[in-house]
Amino acid sequence: MTNDAAPAQSWKVTLPCTRAEAEALDGDIAAFALMEHPPVLMTSEAEDDGSVWRLDAYFEGRPGPAAIKLLKTLVPSAAGVKPQVEALPDEDWVTISQQGLEPVTAGRFHVRNIAGDPELPGHVNLLIEAGRAFGTGQHETTAGCLAMLDRMRRVGMRFRNVADIGTGTGLLAFAALTLWPRAHAIASDIDPVAVDISADNARANGVPLGDGPGRLALVTAAGADHVALTGRAPYDLLIANILAGPLIELAPSLCALVEEGGSVVLAGLLNEQADAVIAAYRRQGMRLAERSDRGDWPTLHLRKRPAIGWKRPRRIDRAARGEAPGFGSI
C-alpha cells in the first residue's frame, strides 16, 4: 500500500487572441509567478491566414474562476468570450503540445526542443526541451541574443567573466560558454524551478557546472542583489533577456556589475520600448554599440564607457574587456 497521492488531472483552457497578444505571451508571465503550479501557455494560429490566433493554457488540476479571470487579462481581445474549459485524457500533454515545435537556427547555434529531432551539421547543436521555463530559443528575443552573441564572437570579441541574469533555461549561458570556453560564467533566475531546469539542461548538453574557467555556476536571485553575483563582479559580458520594465528598473544595479569597456546584451523588449531602455542605460554610462531587430523584438548590445570626471580614466585593455582585433571567428 502506498501513500503517494495520484497526480492531478490536467485541464486545458482555450481562448482566442490576436497575433500581437500571442507574441507577447512568449515571455515570462509574471501574473502566474506566485502559483505553485503555473499553467503552461501555448499559442497557435487558429486560421491559416493568420487572422485568428488561439491561446491554450494547460493546468495541473481544474482551474478556478480566479485563475481563468487572470488568464483572460493576458488576452484583452477575448474580454467578452466565454473560455473553453475541458479535462484532458490521462496523457503526457506537455510532450504532445511540444510536437509541433520546429528547431531554431540563429548564428552558429541550432536549438532543438525535442530530443528526436536531428542535429544540424556544422552548427553548435543544443537541446532545450520546452516546458516550465522561458528561453527555449523559439522566441525572437532568445534567438536574437544567440545571433548577437555569435556576431560578437565572429568580430573577434573575447570575454573572461560572464553573467546571464534571468537565465530561464540556461540556454544563453550555454551559448556564451560555447563561444568563450575558458570564461568564468554564472547564471541566475528569480525562479528556483528555472534554476533546477537550467542545471538539468546543462547536464543534457555537457556543460560542466561549478566554479572555475569553462564552468557554469547557478544561483536563485532576484535581480543583481545577491552575493554570488556581486562577489564575482566586475563582468566583461552581462546578458539580460527579461522584460522592458525590469530592464529599466535594474539598469543601475546591472551596470554597476560591468567593468569599464564591458558589454551588456539586452532583450525582452518591444520596438516601442527600445528608446526608454537605451536611455536608462545611457544614464548609467553605457553607449549603444549595436542593435539588431527580429520582427518587433530588438536585441541591444551596449558598452560601458571609461570613468570620467573625478575618477581617473583608465585605458581599456581590449584583450581583457571584449575586443581582440585581428582574431577571426572560431
Side-chain angles (χ1 to χ4, degrees):
M1 185 174 181
T2 177
N3 292 325
D4 292 339
Q9 184 178 22
S10 298
W11 287 71
K12 181 174 74 169
V13 179
T14 301
L15 284 166
C17 64
T18 65
R19 177 176 179 175
E21 290 169 339
E23 290 177 341
L25 289 174
D26 282 332
D28 294 324
I29 307 302
F32 293 105
L34 297 180
M35 291 182 62
E36 183 178 359
H37 300 291
V40 174
L41 306 182
M42 299 288 175
T43 57
S44 59
E45 292 183 70
E47 301 291 343
D48 291 339
D49 61 2
S51 60
V52 180
W53 284 64
R54 185 180 75 192
L55 166 64
D56 293 314
Y58 296 87
F59 289 84
E60 183 177 326
R62 182 167 188 165
I68 295 177
K69 182 179 179 180
L70 190 58
L71 185 68
K72 293 187 72 173
T73 65
L74 303 178
V75 285
S77 65
V81 178
K82 182 179 179 180
Q84 179 183 344
V85 182
E86 58 181 314
L88 296 176
D90 188 15
E91 298 182 75
D92 186 358
W93 55 267
V94 172
T95 299
I96 292 172
S97 67
Q98 295 169 8
Q99 289 177 351
L101 294 179
E102 295 293 332
V104 172
T105 302
R108 73 189 70 194
F109 297 102
H110 182 71
V111 184
R112 299 170 295 135
N113 300 131
I114 302 172
D117 285 343
E119 295 187 351
L120 186 63
H123 287 71
V124 175
N125 289 276
L126 296 169
L127 174 63
I128 305 291
E129 295 192 13
R132 297 170 292 167
F134 174 61
T136 61
Q138 291 288 328
H139 193 266
E140 298 291 358
T141 62
T142 310
C145 286
L146 290 172
M148 180 68 77
L149 293 173
D150 177 69
R151 190 156 51 251
M152 292 164 69
R153 179 63 182 86
R154 290 187 187 280
V155 300
M157 301 188 79
R158 297 290 192 274
F159 300 106
R160 52 178 172 73
N161 196 19
V162 179
D164 178 14
I165 308 297
T167 192
T169 61
L171 173 58
L172 297 180
F174 305 161
L177 276 177
T178 300
L179 297 171
W180 299 284
R182 294 188 58 80
H184 292 75
I186 187 170
S188 69
D189 201 283
I190 192 172
D191 184 359
V193 174
V195 174
D196 291 341
I197 291 171
S198 296
D200 292 341
N201 288 336
R203 287 185 281 268
N205 288 278
V207 177
L209 297 174
D211 296 318
R215 294 182 174 273
L216 177 65
L218 292 169
V219 62
T220 302
D225 187 18
H226 192 286
V227 65
L229 294 169
T230 57
R232 298 168 68 111
Y235 300 97
D236 51 6
L237 173 61
L238 185 145
I239 307 161
N241 179 20
I242 43 179
L243 298 172
L247 284 177
I248 293 173
E249 181 180 352
L250 292 172
S253 57
L254 292 182
C255 293
L257 296 178
V258 180
E259 68 178 28
E260 294 178 15
S263 289
V264 175
V265 173
L266 305 178
L269 56 145
L270 291 162
N271 278 331
E272 57 265 29
Q273 300 168 325
D275 288 345
V277 172
I278 294 170
Y281 283 77
R282 279 179 173 159
R283 287 193 290 270
Q284 304 303 319
M286 310 294 293
R287 65 175 179 83
L288 182 64
E290 185 179 359
R291 170 176 172 168
S292 176
D293 292 8
R294 297 174 74 93
D296 295 328
W297 305 90
T299 302
L300 309 176
H301 171 206
L302 300 104
R303 300 288 304 277
K304 190 170 188 179
R305 300 177 185 275
I308 57 175
W310 62 271
K311 292 184 179 180
R312 180 181 179 183
R314 290 179 291 170
R315 183 181 301 276
I316 296 177
D317 179 349
R318 294 183 181 274
R321 292 175 168 81
E323 292 185 354
F327 286 82
S329 61
I330 57 173

